[in-house]
Amino acid sequence: MDHIVTVQDAVTAFVDFIEPTDAELDAIEQEMPVILADVDLLDAQIIAMDRTPTELDVRRIRRARRRLLAALANQAETAHRGGVA
């Protein structure tokens, strides 16, 4: 019979390296407008998924799509100017 050995020592040896670095946190901060706009679009699409979309649903989806496209364009412009994207 083989014994199952815990790997806690091997895993906890790298605890200091598990946290994100400052550069990674900055990259996440730069991506946050796109992430939030994408979540808004998904929420709008999920709300309208199980029924016939009303005019309000269509507007909500269209508005969320525009916010996502604006966030992506802003991110691309920042990257083009040499900023962190």
Side-chain angles (χ1 to χ4, degrees):
M1 173 185 227
D2 292 326
H3 294 284
I4 298 173
V5 179
T6 62
V7 291
Q8 180 177 358
D9 292 335
V11 171
T12 56
F14 298 104
V15 167
D16 295 335
F17 304 111
I18 292 175
E19 296 296 320
T21 64
D22 288 340
E24 291 171 331
L25 290 173
D26 289 341
I28 292 169
E29 187 70 29
Q30 294 294 324
E31 293 258 345
M32 194 53 69
V34 174
I35 293 168
L36 294 175
D38 198 21
V39 168
D40 286 343
L41 177 58
L42 286 171
D43 284 345
Q45 290 172 332
I46 288 169
I47 288 170
M49 186 181 297
D50 63 344
R51 63 177 188 226
T52 303
T54 63
E55 181 62 31
L56 181 63
D57 293 331
V58 172
R59 282 191 220 156
R60 185 179 294 132
I61 291 169
R62 190 171 46 236
R63 199 174 14 226
R65 234 182 238 137
R66 282 197 309 258
R67 275 195 301 263
L68 178 59
L69 290 174
L72 287 169
N74 188 26
Q75 184 183 43
E77 181 181 328
T78 303
H80 181 67
R81 284 184 289 163
V84 177

